[in-house]
Amino acid sequence: MPAEETSDEGPVAGEASAGKASAVPADEEPRRVARVVLLDPDDRILLLYGHEPDDADDNWWFTPGGGLEGDETREQAALRELAEETGITDAELGPVLWQRTCSFPFAGRRWDQDEWYFLARTRHIAATTGTATDMPGLTELEQRSVSGMRWWTWQELSSTHETVYPTKLAGLLRALLDEGPPGSPTVLDTEIV
């Protein structure tokens, strides 16, 4: 999304259906995005289940988060997006774990994003599994393309055959749980879908 577009009506997944990468004009800045690696007391990560708005069979799991609005900081965007997409407002936001650049097709256009992944913890897991009808803060596009959420262990992520973004999330989560947050954000490989 061009930098001047600050609406949160952007993609909900950070990725989408496979397709050829298209050239992006060099003068367009990538959409600035804040994502949340939300862990519960059992060290499970909360992921949302998304799909193309007109094709529920083209689906994937992804971390909560989205584009910055107006002049908000990435930290503010992370907490706002988490509340809007999951209803969770008690999360304690921690450091930036990872940074990633990605490009992908979604809802009929190509999205180029600069994503920062924040660690967050919550003490509550109630009301954080279910369907999109349980998520009243979703935008119109998100209502058409997010159909649920669930908690995952790193073991479940490592053995799933479902698509999960960012790729290698299982290994990243295991390293986080084994070693703690990195001293400075880890730059992940660029992903072009």
Side-chain angles (χ1 to χ4, degrees):
M1 178 179 285
E4 65 272 12
E5 292 183 50
T6 56
S7 167
D8 187 40
E9 191 63 23
V12 297
E15 307 305 328
S17 59
K20 291 184 178 180
S22 64
V24 177
D27 61 340
E28 288 189 23
E29 291 293 320
R31 179 174 184 249
R32 294 175 18 165
V33 171
R35 297 205 164 280
V36 180
V37 175
L38 182 67
L39 301 180
D40 74 359
D42 295 323
D43 287 334
R44 297 178 302 168
I45 186 172
L46 183 66
L47 298 180
L48 303 179
Y49 187 63
H51 55 84
E52 274 290 328
D54 298 320
D55 184 3
D57 292 331
D58 186 2
N59 52 62
W60 55 89
W61 292 93
F62 64 101
T63 58
L68 278 63
E69 292 183 354
D71 61 355
E72 74 182 344
T73 66
R74 293 216 194 215
E75 293 85 354
Q76 291 166 331
L79 291 172
R80 175 185 51 76
E81 287 284 342
L82 185 63
E84 289 174 359
E85 294 176 349
T86 69
I88 295 173
T89 58
D90 75 331
E92 296 177 26
L93 199 61
V96 177
L97 301 171
W98 315 310
Q99 295 176 336
R100 178 180 82 139
T101 300
C102 59
S103 179
F104 54 90
F106 177 72
R109 63 164 291 194
R110 177 148 294 276
W111 300 86
D112 297 295
Q113 300 193 159
D114 171 27
E115 300 181 336
W116 290 15
Y117 290 78
F118 288 88
L119 175 61
R121 291 219 172 246
T122 183
R123 291 186 286 291
H124 300 93
I125 60 171
T128 53
T129 57
T131 65
T133 58
D134 300 324
M135 304 178 232
L138 298 182
T139 66
E140 185 273 331
L141 178 59
E142 290 168 336
Q143 290 172 11
R144 294 187 298 123
S145 57
V146 176
S147 57
M149 59 182 142
R150 72 167 270 210
W151 294 99
W152 294 74
T153 65
W154 74 263
Q155 294 95 332
E156 291 169 328
L157 284 174
S158 67
S159 65
T160 189
H161 296 289
E162 297 185 67
T163 302
V164 177
Y165 293 109
T167 58
K168 302 179 185 174
L169 181 58
L172 292 166
L173 180 58
R174 181 171 184 183
L176 171 65
L177 297 175
D178 288 349
E179 302 165 16
S184 61
T186 301
V187 178
L188 304 180
D189 291 338
T190 297
E191 291 189 50
I192 301 175
V193 179

